Amino acid sequence: MDRIPILKFGNALLVTIQVDMHDQLATALEEDLTSKIVSHNARGVLIDISALDVVDSFIGRMLDNIAAVSRILDADTVVVGMRPAVAITLVELGLSLTGVKTALNVERGMAMIHDRLAGSEADDADDED
Amino acid sequence: MAAQAGSDVASLVSRNEKTILPEWVEFQKKAGILHTGRISEGELQSQSRNFLHLLHEALTQGGTDTSGSAYEAAKAMLAELSRSRAMQGFSPSETATFIFSLKQPLFNAINRDASLSADQKASTVWTSTMLLDELGLFTLEIFQKSREEVIVRQQREIAELSTPVVKLWEGILALPLIGTLDSQRTQVVMENLLQTIVDDEAEIAIIDITGVPTVDTLTAQHLLKTVAAARLMGADCLISGIRPQIAQTMVHLGVELNVISKASLADAFAVALRQTGRTIVKAKRVEGYTFADKKSGGQDA
Amino acid sequence: MPTTRTERVGIKVSDDVVRVRQITRAFALEVGLSLVDQTKIVTASSELARNTLDYGGGGEVTAEIVEQGGRRGVRLTFDDKGPGIADIEQALKDGFTSGRGMGLGLGGAKRLSNEFSIVSEPGLGTKITIARWK
């Protein structure tokens, strides 16, 4: 079965969804990401959906789940590049994905993850003092 | 019966066309149609002549049944006239006068006609009154429809014109809303703002509603949807310019805006600058500080 | 209401949901819907196709380009021979679900369409029609 590739990028994982996903592909991605967060000790997950022209409630739920699972595993999930038409439609659909962090593009999303890591490292340093 | 009455009127018109036309034009002039300055005497002449000609043909072929196919040409001309007058800003009565002022010349012709008996005269007056009333109403209906088309077009134009998204700073946009927000307009506004967020890679958008007279539940929902959509794309929205009475109404309606709102656009802008890691400091004014001084002591700055 | 183009797609496996989305997109493009309206009807089609598959035990969709009073639109009719919906009003409420998903399918699809109608007979199946006009 097809899989969506997951790239490692420093201590973050990067997924670029470029195909119109059928439901099993989405479910497989959710599982793959969960195991990779653990095996790579990732602190952040970036999901680039700028190529998607449709996000329905199934994919919305997948994004929500990934964010929730990664939070438990101490990693931040940032969904980047959602198109305006997709955003309007999701809101109309009733999905606001309040548990998911968002950014305009991969660069900003990566900066968000790094900011948070820098912040928590500073906290750790404070604790040691 | 209708056909008979129609041909009576038709033959009357054809016999008296030479007197009816100038009288009719005269009546229209008396009603002040030329004073509107929207039509020339030549136009009035030719419109009247054409219509009288078409009416005569319709009467001859189709009697007084204005819904029949014989009247198509006459009605098409009336529709065109009515539409163009609506666009030019004629009033409804100025437009309807075109048809209604034809009554008097027609009645005069009937009265003068020696070949008609008193009974025939009465019935011909009745038939032509009915006929002209129908055509007059038709003219008004088209006029009304054309005005509505104008209104719809203007609404669309206003919707497009009055929603500019302005860039306040690198990564900070503002959308100053003016006027009432209905669903259709909000959709245009929303799409426009979200697209500009993408194009400008903006982190923060300020929606300023100082110019919005009232905020009802629906408008508040539209605003919240825009904010939610922007957040999904990775941008933050601030709302500014909520006037006191609007804030009160919203509380009474039970509408909660779960977004950062500030009293003025300036306050919201300051928040936006801070959120994007910028600070505003007042520049110190130095006595006798000139361009020349700056040049020499440039490295201090 | 004259129909100018029709296409029928079976909904039997998960891949068919993707096909329904693609055909809806093609029809919406042909009608000339705005990008946002295209996205709305395609998303609605995806929700309903998944419903047909998951709750209706499969079925089919008829996609049409229709014309009414000078306006063109896309109309989709989802048909299944599944268990049907006993309480339609309840099913249209957000958060209602009898299976997986967020329970936004029916209500969401309704909000994303200009027209929405549903006929369901417990034990016999469900027929849902949506339309989006230019």
Side-chain angles (χ1 to χ4, degrees):
Chain A
M1 196 172 81
D2 292 345
R3 294 274 178 181
I4 291 177
I6 300 171
L7 307 176
K8 194 167 162 16
F9 207 88
N11 45 12
L13 300 176
L14 175 62
V15 182
T16 306
I17 303 175
Q18 265 163 340
V19 290
D20 191 356
M21 287 191 294
H22 56 77
D23 295 357
Q24 280 97 332
L25 197 56
T27 313
L29 175 63
E30 200 178 314
E31 285 162 9
D32 288 355
L33 262 177
T34 309
S35 54
K36 287 225 166 138
I37 290 172
V38 177
S39 65
H40 288 77
N41 196 20
R43 306 298 301 277
V45 178
L46 273 181
I47 306 175
D48 180 6
I49 60 165
S50 57
L52 285 190
D53 52 16
V54 170
V55 171
D56 63 4
S57 64
F58 192 84
I59 297 177
R61 190 177 66 122
M62 174 200 82
L63 295 173
D64 235 5
N65 286 352
I66 292 173
V69 168
S70 68
R71 207 161 33 239
I72 295 171
L73 299 172
D74 195 24
D76 254 0
T77 296
V78 184
V79 171
V80 303
M82 186 183 291
R83 297 183 184 184
V86 172
I88 292 172
T89 304
L90 269 185
V91 171
E92 205 65 53
L93 192 60
L95 267 182
S96 44
L97 302 182
T98 40
V100 181
K101 291 193 172 132
T102 53
L104 280 173
N105 50 39
V106 173
E107 202 183 338
R108 291 264 176 81
M110 203 58 96
M112 268 172 88
I113 288 174
H114 283 150
D115 281 355
R116 183 202 170 229
L117 286 181
S120 65
E121 271 158 22
D123 288 347
D124 291 348
D126 287 346
D127 291 345
E128 280 160 26
D129 283 346
Chain B
M1 174 74 195
Q4 180 54 42
S7 69
D8 279 355
V9 184
S11 62
L12 184 95
V13 170
S14 71
R15 267 177 288 149
N16 296 284
E17 201 166 347
K18 285 213 174 63
T19 53
I20 292 176
L21 182 61
E23 262 186 65
W24 183 25
V25 171
E26 206 48 48
F27 272 109
Q28 292 185 70
K29 278 170 34 189
K30 231 188 256 170
I33 196 77
L34 291 179
H35 297 312
T36 60
R38 300 187 188 95
I39 188 169
S40 71
E41 175 147 12
E43 274 176 291
L44 184 66
Q45 287 277 2
S46 79
Q47 280 177 354
S48 305
R49 192 180 325 108
N50 286 345
F51 181 72
L52 204 59
H53 178 69
L54 291 171
L55 180 68
H56 179 232
E57 269 182 11
L59 280 163
T60 317
Q61 286 167 23
T64 52
D65 176 19
T66 58
S67 58
S69 61
Y71 275 84
E72 263 170 28
K75 279 162 90 175
M77 189 210 149
L78 271 187
E80 184 47 45
L81 178 126
S82 196
R83 199 167 290 132
S84 77
R85 287 192 177 188
M87 301 293 169
Q88 285 173 297
F90 279 79
S91 77
S93 52
E94 280 165 355
T95 306
T97 297
F98 180 73
I99 286 295
F100 291 130
S101 63
L102 180 54
K103 276 187 184 176
Q104 191 65 55
L106 211 53
F107 294 172
N108 290 346
I110 293 168
N111 269 329
R112 281 194 303 262
D113 203 307
S115 70
L116 295 172
S117 69
D119 278 357
Q120 278 174 316
K121 279 182 183 175
S123 79
T124 315
V125 165
W126 176 243
T127 335
S128 34
T129 299
M130 293 280 283
L131 177 73
L132 290 181
D133 284 354
E134 270 177 47
L135 292 174
L137 287 178
F138 172 78
T139 311
L140 280 178
E141 244 170 61
I142 299 286
F143 181 86
Q144 182 68 21
K145 248 186 228 157
S146 311
R147 297 294 292 177
E148 276 161 19
E149 281 164 22
V150 171
I151 291 169
V152 168
R153 201 194 63 224
Q154 285 175 342
Q155 273 177 340
R156 212 170 32 232
E157 280 168 5
I158 289 169
E160 281 162 13
L161 280 178
S162 61
T163 55
V165 180
V166 290
K167 183 172 176 176
L168 293 183
W169 206 265
E170 200 62 47
I172 303 174
L173 298 175
L175 175 70
L177 287 176
I178 291 161
T180 317
L181 292 173
D182 58 25
S183 306
Q184 202 198 343
R185 201 178 146 219
T186 313
Q187 202 183 337
V188 178
V189 171
M190 198 162 155
E191 289 178 30
N192 202 4
L193 175 66
L194 299 181
Q195 191 53 51
T196 317
I197 287 175
V198 175
D199 296 344
D200 278 22
E201 299 194 347
E203 288 170 72
I204 296 187
I206 302 168
I207 303 175
D208 183 75
I209 60 167
T210 312
V212 178
T214 51
V215 174
D216 55 14
T217 322
L218 209 65
T219 313
Q221 266 172 9
H222 283 315
L223 278 177
L224 288 179
K225 279 182 188 170
T226 311
V227 174
R231 198 202 68 83
L232 282 173
M233 291 165 48
D236 279 333
C237 277
L238 307 174
I239 293 183
S240 68
I242 303 181
R243 284 183 282 138
Q245 60 269 45
I246 291 183
Q248 260 179 321
T249 326
M250 283 167 62
V251 172
H252 285 304
L253 287 170
V255 177
E256 263 185 76
L257 285 179
N258 285 321
V259 285
I260 301 176
S261 61
K262 290 282 151 196
S264 70
L265 182 58
D267 293 341
F269 184 40
V271 172
L273 284 172
R274 212 175 310 131
Q275 279 190 6
T276 51
R278 298 176 177 108
T279 49
I280 314 164
V281 285
K282 209 166 185 179
K284 259 191 204 149
R285 268 184 70 187
V286 179
E287 206 70 38
Y289 191 82
T290 63
F291 185 63
D293 289 336
K294 195 188 171 193
K295 242 181 170 177
S296 58
Q299 58 266 59
D300 294 341
Chain C
M1 206 181 342
T3 301
T4 52
R5 200 178 147 192
T6 308
E7 205 154 320
R8 208 166 257 126
V9 186
I11 304 171
K12 304 266 178 287
V13 291
S14 171
D15 266 343
D16 293 334
V17 177
V18 179
R19 272 182 63 215
V20 172
R21 287 203 287 261
Q22 285 163 351
I23 283 164
T24 308
R25 172 77 65 182
F27 276 39
L29 267 172
E30 199 177 312
V31 165
L33 293 186
S34 74
L35 183 59
V36 172
D37 287 349
Q38 281 175 40
T39 311
K40 284 182 176 172
I41 187 81
V42 173
T43 308
S45 79
S46 185
E47 301 297 328
L48 295 178
R50 188 175 297 105
N51 274 358
T52 302
L53 186 65
D54 291 353
Y55 306 126
E60 63 168 25
V61 60
T62 310
E64 291 165 287
I65 290 178
V66 285
E67 257 179 73
Q68 193 176 42
R71 292 174 85 195
R72 301 215 312 156
V74 183
R75 187 169 63 189
L76 305 166
T77 307
F78 295 82
D79 230 326
D80 70 56
K81 301 276 171 280
I85 302 166
D87 188 345
I88 290 173
E89 219 163 286
Q90 181 72 23
L92 279 168
K93 278 189 189 147
D94 279 355
F96 177 84
T97 174
S98 57
R100 60 206 185 108
M102 288 182 135
L104 292 165
L106 273 191
K110 186 178 178 187
R111 279 195 295 277
L112 295 175
S113 311
N114 296 130
E115 273 170 39
F116 181 94
S117 72
I118 177 166
V119 182
S120 188
E121 195 82 35
L124 292 176
T126 304
K127 183 180 190 153
I128 298 176
T129 305
I130 59 169
R132 182 108 213 159
W133 298 97
K134 187 177 159 55

